[in-house]
Amino acid sequence: MNNSFNIDFDKANICSKLLRDYYSESQSSAEVSYPSNLNKNSESYLIYIFYSCLLDYSMRSVIYHKNLIETYNEYPYIFNPKYVVDNFTNNLDELKNIIVNNIHPRYPNVAVNKWISLSIYLNDNQDLFNRIKSIKSFDELANLILSIKGYGQKTGGLLLRLIYESGISDFNFDLENIPIDRHDIEISYLNGVVNKKILNEEEINSLGESWVKAASINNVASADIDKYLWTVGNQFCNNKKCGECPLSNTCKRKV
């Protein structure tokens, strides 16, 4: 069996154009919702998105964020790192009840442990807003976020994008690469961009770079192609809405 890795750049180019054309008409569907009383340029918003991205696995993401906003409105104190540390580190059951009964995460025990761990980090780093505000490069911000326990490549990548879009940091997001997770790999495979589903780290990096280059040819920013791929996986693949997907004509999956 030939397991050699191959990227079909022409197909990445075609897909990038299809995504650009589709989302130029329906941009809002790629946005991540948040409580209406939060200012995007504020410390409160920054803390909120640290929590929200922590458990966003791209499955039923719209419902997840709706639940999260409702939880924030009813139990705002669980989004307060100091309050969580002072009141829940030795009382996990109460925090778990709030999270499970309101946010409905896929993995309740993991969610609670991650929530506590993040709260401890945020409480110990109360200058985080000013640190992030002073950051001038994507790599510096990426290294900071990915050093925090609990964020994977995609959840960390989503947090990076939201911070960039908030305007809290002033840096150029026009990257040579984007975070690639298993959903992106599956989309790439189903659309013929790559010829296999299991990729090593070097191959994943090559795929991310190829998506960015293909997007650039179609005047799509790296932040946007990352957003579009995330949204296709969440909005269409997860819900098996293949007929409505902007990549329906190029995808191998027909449901």
Side-chain angles (χ1 to χ4, degrees):
M1 181 181 293
N2 185 1
N3 290 319
S4 62
F5 175 65
N6 180 63
I7 294 178
D8 190 327
F9 186 78
D10 289 338
K11 289 185 178 177
N13 185 23
I14 291 169
C15 289
S16 296
K17 184 178 185 301
L18 289 169
L19 293 172
R20 179 201 67 190
D21 293 346
Y22 180 85
Y23 285 110
S24 66
E25 300 296 329
S26 56
Q27 188 74 30
S28 61
S29 63
E31 299 301 321
V32 175
S33 57
Y34 63 94
S36 59
N37 64 327
L38 293 180
N39 185 323
K40 265 194 171 184
N41 201 253
S42 69
E43 183 174 8
S44 296
Y45 174 78
L46 180 68
I47 297 300
Y48 179 84
I49 60 176
F50 263 91
Y51 282 112
S52 73
C53 291
L54 188 68
L55 305 178
D56 190 341
Y57 303 109
S58 297
M59 296 291 290
R60 296 165 56 87
S61 186
V62 172
I63 295 174
Y64 163 75
H65 284 288
K66 178 179 179 293
N67 292 340
L68 201 71
I69 291 169
E70 292 174 353
T71 305
Y72 179 86
N73 291 333
E74 187 166 353
Y75 305 96
Y77 50 84
I78 75 165
F79 296 84
N80 181 323
K82 187 177 187 308
Y83 187 96
V84 172
V85 170
D86 290 345
N87 294 275
F88 293 128
T89 49
N90 295 316
N91 186 13
L92 294 183
D93 286 344
E94 183 178 351
L95 178 62
K96 183 177 178 179
N97 285 337
I98 294 172
I99 289 175
V100 169
N101 294 326
N102 295 275
I103 301 175
H104 308 294
R106 292 175 65 195
Y107 312 109
N109 291 330
V110 172
V112 173
N113 290 332
K114 281 189 171 186
W115 203 278
I116 289 288
S117 178
L118 176 61
S119 298
I120 292 172
Y121 174 86
L122 294 174
N123 188 58
D124 289 343
N125 293 270
Q126 296 186 23
D127 64 337
L128 187 62
F129 179 77
N130 289 328
R131 284 173 60 194
I132 289 178
K133 193 172 182 180
S134 67
I135 284 176
K136 297 300 181 183
S137 76
F138 175 87
D139 287 341
E140 184 181 354
L141 181 59
N143 289 335
L144 171 63
I145 289 174
L146 295 178
S147 71
I148 301 172
K149 184 180 179 181
Y151 293 101
Q153 188 176 37
K154 203 59 180 180
T155 54
L158 176 60
L159 179 56
L160 282 165
R161 172 164 67 81
L162 294 183
I163 292 174
Y164 163 74
E165 291 177 347
S166 74
I168 292 171
S169 290
D170 181 20
F171 61 84
N172 187 354
F173 196 96
D174 197 13
L175 310 173
E176 295 180 355
N177 207 336
I178 56 171
I180 295 290
D181 71 355
R182 63 184 182 86
H183 300 292
D184 298 327
I185 294 172
E186 183 175 15
I187 291 169
S188 301
Y189 174 75
L190 289 173
N191 286 276
V193 178
V194 293
N195 61 332
K196 60 181 185 177
K197 290 184 178 182
I198 300 176
L199 309 183
N200 60 37
E201 185 175 351
E202 181 180 353
E203 292 165 345
I204 288 171
N205 287 334
S206 296
L207 177 58
E209 291 170 357
S210 295
W211 275 115
V212 170
K213 289 177 183 176
S216 179
I217 290 174
N218 292 288
N219 296 314
V220 176
S222 54
D224 287 335
I225 196 64
D226 179 51
K227 180 192 301 184
Y228 298 161
L229 289 170
W230 178 87
T231 308
V232 165
N234 174 62
Q235 183 177 358
F236 300 106
C237 299
N238 289 345
N239 296 309
K240 294 183 170 56
K241 294 183 177 180
C242 299
E244 301 172 29
C245 179
L247 301 180
S248 60
N249 290 331
T250 58
C251 184
K252 297 175 185 176
R253 176 186 288 164
K254 303 295 180 184
V255 177

